[in-house]
Amino acid sequence: LVTGGFFMVPGVGFGLRGTAAITCGLALVWIAVAWRLRRAYVAAIGDSIRRYRIDVERALDAAPPSSHETIAATLASDDVEVVREVLVSLRRMKAPQAYPELYPLLRHQAGDVRRDALAVLAESGDRTARSTAEAMLQDRDLGVRTQALLYLARDGGFDPLRWILDLGDFEGFSIRAAMVAFLAAPGRSHNEEAARVLLEQMAGSAEAGDRAEAGRVLAVLDDPPASILNALIGDPDIDVARQGIGAAQARRVVDCLEGLLAALARPEVADEAVAALAGFGQPVVPLLEGALADTTLPLDSRRELPAVLVRIGTPDAGRALVAGLLDADAPLRHRVIASLNKLKQRHPQMDVDRTAIELLLAAEIAGHYRSYQVLLPLSHDQTVASALRQSIEQEIERIFRLIALLSPARSVHDAYVGVRSANELIRANALEYLDHVLKAELRAVLLPLIDSHVTDVERAELGEKLLGAPQPSADEAVATLLSSGDPWLRSRAEIALQRVSDAPASADDQTPAPAIIQGGVGAG
């Protein structure tokens, strides 16, 4: 009535209804303005944490000169020992680059430098040094003459027998490798059976140099025997295995797929095996999807499969990754999720199974709360607590990666970088941004896990309410760790168990954490 009386001034005559209409109109305008201001505020916070994320990435990228520049500078060094080291490293690479600095080294005073420089050019696929290689057949150094013979015979069109008879004094494996390349090349000299016999002799040699050279020759044959290639891929010598993998990749030998899957379990050649399998492309996706779910395969092999699928990058590869989301092994899940993130960045319109991802997200969050319940009774043991906290960090990363798969924007990644910042203002901005953009049900369970003002005790108590699981005792927490699929966490639990029982701690007590902790006690 007061308001109505105020507006019912003489000559206006709004009346009560008119006043109500005006009030509603003003309220709608205020709501619209507040909504626009809120959007602008959230956008400003988003821009702030995005700039922070970009600054962090720039700082990481502002590293030393690229490896290309470093290698080029080292090859031009006056220190012959430094040159030797980099040449040996290049020879071990699967497909080294033909650096311009290699050509002057073909006239270096040291024979092993001349030999290795020509070997790197041969491995790079370079054929511009042919005339120089012909002159090097007269070199005073046996190793140089041998490498020149291999360089010239690599692509056929060169009769090594004539040069061997004219010059003599070549190493045995060089003669056989050159003859295989010569006999396998198209033309009148072609003799596939003779080339195979020589290859089998080289692949079965007790000398690693012989076997590695067999791999190099197989890489240039049109139809290399799969049986020989598989033997080389599984060879205990790293260089021989790399040559075999490179040949299988170069010639797309389908019968070598099983051998390449097994090679994934060998850390020293896993990168080469990943590249080789990815080179087969879309046709091998069904095989890789089956291998990802095959628990009879070595776990180390399965953990490398997401890297293969993300390189292939087709929609079917993405679906194969989604099928591996619910695997029991936490490190494998971590890699699957990270690979899906990479695919989503490349293909923002990629369809994902939201139901499966939301289910996994709920499981990861529940497991994360459980991790704090396990941590609390063991927090007095620094060895165990440190391992658990590193596991917890990986769990948080997986949670944010899963949220990013459900979100159309890159802002989730910006927020993750922000909440990990040591700067309290950046952290506060990131938390406030998430408070505005996350759904209410997700916000309620996620923010307490990343808010630095929430203590471990409060998180454990909240976990008890959410999960309905009581706080475990120290013995129960150790038992939970012992049942973990992570061998590192199990080893930390064994130390804790020894201390609880007053048994003498083993040497593992002083074992440093591995470079990458394979976490997953919570959701694993």
Side-chain angles (χ1 to χ4, degrees), residues 41 57 67 70 75 100 107 118 137 160 194 198 203 248 270 290 306 329 336 366 458 487 489 519-520:
Y41 177 65
E57 292 177 352
S67 58
T70 302
L75 287 172
R107 297 182 296 276
L118 187 60
L137 287 169
L198 286 173
D329 180 63
V336 168
E458 291 171 327
L489 285 176

Side-chain angles (χ1 to χ4, degrees), residues 41 45-46 48-49 424-434:
Y41 177 65
I45 297 175
S48 171
I49 61 176
E424 188 171 347
L425 178 60
I426 296 294
R427 285 201 313 274
N429 283 342
L431 284 170
E432 188 165 2
Y433 180 79
L434 290 170

Side-chain angles (χ1 to χ4, degrees), residues 322 325-326 337 340 352-366 398-399 401-407 439 441-442 445:
V322 171
L325 275 174
L326 300 180
I337 295 168
L340 280 171
V352 295
D353 187 341
R354 295 184 67 88
T355 301
I357 293 173
E358 287 173 353
L359 177 64
L360 180 57
L361 177 59
E364 290 284 359
I365 291 175
R398 288 201 297 274
I399 288 169
R401 285 185 178 277
L402 287 168
I403 296 172
L405 290 174
L406 298 171
S407 170
K439 293 181 179 179
E441 58 272 19
L442 180 57
V445 294

Side-chain angles (χ1 to χ4, degrees), residues 155-175:
D155 293 329
F158 172 83
D159 185 354
L161 186 58
R162 177 174 66 85
W163 284 99
I164 291 168
L165 291 175
D166 288 348
L167 299 177
D169 201 18
F170 283 91
E171 294 178 9
F173 78 86
S174 170
I175 296 173

Side-chain angles (χ1 to χ4, degrees), residues 301-429:
S301 290
R302 295 173 60 219
R303 287 175 178 173
E304 297 296 334
L305 290 173
V308 181
L309 289 165
V310 77
R311 287 199 189 192
I312 294 174
T314 61
D316 284 344
R319 283 187 284 272
L321 284 168
V322 171
L325 275 174
L326 300 180
D327 195 273
D329 180 63
L332 177 54
R333 282 203 316 276
H334 193 101
R335 296 188 183 191
V336 168
I337 295 168
S339 297
L340 280 171
N341 284 139
K342 291 178 182 178
L343 280 183
K344 184 78 180 293
Q345 289 173 12
R346 295 178 196 169
H347 311 289
Q349 304 306 317
M350 181 184 77
D351 291 329
V352 295
D353 187 341
R354 295 184 67 88
T355 301
I357 293 173
E358 287 173 353
L359 177 64
L360 180 57
L361 177 59
E364 290 284 359
I365 291 175
H368 195 58
Y369 274 106
R370 184 60 178 168
S371 294
Y372 279 105
Q373 287 187 298
V374 173
L375 171 65
L376 206 57
L378 300 176
S379 57
H380 63 281
D381 189 319
Q382 291 302 315
T383 301
V384 180
S386 176
L388 265 171
R389 289 195 183 280
Q390 292 181 69
S391 174
I392 284 171
E393 286 297 313
Q394 287 199 340
E395 290 168 5
I396 276 290
E397 181 183 343
R398 288 201 297 274
I399 288 169
F400 269 90
R401 285 185 178 277
L402 287 168
I403 296 172
L405 290 174
L406 298 171
S407 170
R410 186 178 171 82
S411 56
V412 174
H413 176 57
D414 299 336
Y416 172 73
V417 176
V419 298
R420 311 323 291 164
S421 171
N423 185 309
E424 188 171 347
L425 178 60
I426 296 294
R427 285 201 313 274
N429 283 342

